[in-house]
């Protein structure tokens, strides 16, 4: 019988994955700091980035160093926030948000990933109209009607715009400017979210032909593996979503 990966090997793989996640979060904190103030209490975007980092078990001193760097108190190359729009296989619309200190490298990596998977990089605005920027707070309700009803009542009371129940989750949707207030109100109601943030939600989702599904999933994995890529939004219905 073959032997599986050693404990040390698994640990090294987990450490590498954790380091990549931390790299992305540090860049997000740095840019959020530069876009506002270095105090999370006075910078909602930075506070959201810090909360995200804490959820990923990032040490507080690492977070503080990222904020220091973003405030200009530390050295290092300037970090930029960039957004690319394009298409994947079967015409799937993609928005790719990045944090980078080398835009030339980043656009080359993104273009290469798209081209290898039958997609292409578009111009600014070419797919953005197919998405709406909004706050999303997701709860694992497991299809339980009582749990879904509890989320719905709390969300409406908090001033949310909508609640979508699908794939065993209840997603509370709100305007970006109301995100923090709605999130706090839901937490005060005793509801603990799986994840939350402000991002791009597709206005409509499209089915991907069976012969393009694997390529689409490979493309998403490739894009998310790039250090400079922070978030990838798409309007595809993937197999797991279609069958849940």
């Amino acid at each position: 019988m073959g032997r599986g990966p050693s404990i040390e090997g698994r640990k090294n793989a987990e450490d590498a994955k954790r380091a990549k996640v931390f790299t992305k979060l540090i860049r997000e904190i740095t840019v959020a700091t530069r876009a506002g103030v270095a105090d999370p209490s006075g910078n909602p975007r930075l506070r959201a980035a810090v909360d995200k980092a804490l959820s990923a078990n990032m040490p507080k001193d690492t977070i503080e160093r990222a904020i220091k760097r973003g405030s200009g108190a530390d050295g290092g190359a300037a970090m930029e926030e960039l957004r690319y729009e394009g298409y994947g296989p079967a015409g799937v619309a993609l928005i790719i948000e990045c944090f980078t200190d080398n835009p030339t490298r980043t656009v080359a990596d993104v273009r290469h990933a798209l081209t290898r998977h039958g997609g292409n990089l578009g111009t600014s605005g070419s797919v953005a109209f197919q998405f709406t920027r909004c706050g999303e707070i997701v709860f694992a309700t497991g299809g339980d009607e009582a749990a879904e009803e509890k989320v719905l009542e709390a969300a409406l009371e908090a001033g949310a715009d909508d609640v979508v129940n699908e794939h065993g989750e209840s997603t509370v949707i709100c305007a970006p400017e109301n995100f923090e207030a709605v999130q706090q109100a839901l937490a005060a109601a005793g509801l603990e979210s799986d994840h939350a943030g402000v991002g791009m939600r597709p206005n409509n989702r499209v089915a991907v032909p069976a012969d393009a599904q694997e390529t689409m999933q490979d493309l998403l994995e490739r894009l998310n593996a790039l250090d400079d890529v922070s978030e990838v939004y798409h309007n595809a219905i993937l197999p797991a979503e279609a069958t849940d």
Side-chain angles (χ1 to χ4, degrees):
M1 291 180 66
R3 296 179 63 186
S6 67
I7 293 175
E8 182 179 359
R10 288 197 299 269
K11 184 179 185 302
N12 289 339
E14 290 170 1
D15 287 347
K17 183 177 180 180
R18 183 168 176 260
K20 184 176 285 291
V21 170
F22 279 13
T23 296
K24 293 174 182 284
L25 291 169
I26 287 169
R27 294 183 180 194
E28 187 171 347
I29 291 170
T30 301
V31 172
T33 302
R34 186 172 290 118
V37 295
D39 181 2
S41 65
N43 184 338
R45 181 178 176 185
L46 175 57
R47 183 161 56 252
V50 169
D51 287 345
K52 191 173 177 182
L54 290 172
S55 295
N57 296 316
M58 180 182 286
K60 290 186 178 180
D61 60 342
T62 303
I63 294 172
E64 290 169 0
R65 285 198 298 271
I67 293 174
K68 186 176 181 181
R69 183 181 184 188
S71 67
D74 197 1
M79 199 68 64
E80 297 182 50
E81 181 178 16
L82 301 173
R83 174 187 289 175
Y84 300 106
E85 300 177 35
Y87 290 94
V92 171
L94 293 158
I95 291 180
I96 305 151
E97 295 186 345
C98 305
F99 298 125
T100 180
D101 57 4
N102 188 334
T104 302
R105 175 194 66 218
T106 305
V107 70
D109 287 346
V110 170
R111 181 183 285 114
H112 180 64
L114 290 170
T115 302
R116 279 193 60 183
H117 294 83
N120 63 278
L121 197 62
T123 57
S124 178
S126 58
V127 304
F129 67 94
Q130 300 181 54
F131 295 79
T132 299
R133 190 164 183 80
C134 62
E136 293 187 336
I137 307 163
V138 182
F139 300 89
T141 47
D144 182 279
E145 291 187 7
E148 292 175 352
E149 186 65 25
K150 183 176 180 180
V151 171
L152 176 62
E153 290 179 359
L156 294 177
E157 181 69 23
D161 296 332
D162 195 10
V163 177
V164 178
N165 297 312
E166 57 185 2
H167 319 310
E169 296 179 334
S170 291
T171 301
V172 177
I173 300 170
C174 63
E177 60 271 19
N178 296 335
F179 171 73
E180 189 174 0
V182 171
Q183 184 182 32
Q184 290 178 350
L186 291 171
L191 296 171
E192 183 176 347
S193 64
D194 272 20
H195 54 90
V198 175
M200 304 296 290
R201 185 177 180 85
N203 299 328
N204 294 289
R205 290 191 179 272
V206 298
V208 179
D211 60 357
Q213 290 175 1
E214 184 176 354
T215 302
M216 182 64 208
Q217 290 176 323
D218 287 346
L219 171 59
L220 294 176
E221 289 177 8
R222 175 60 183 163
L223 288 171
N224 281 305
L226 296 174
D227 285 344
D228 296 341
V229 172
S230 171
E231 297 286 350
V232 179
Y233 304 103
H234 63 85
N235 66 347
I237 300 174
L238 298 177
E241 297 174 335
T243 57
D244 280 351

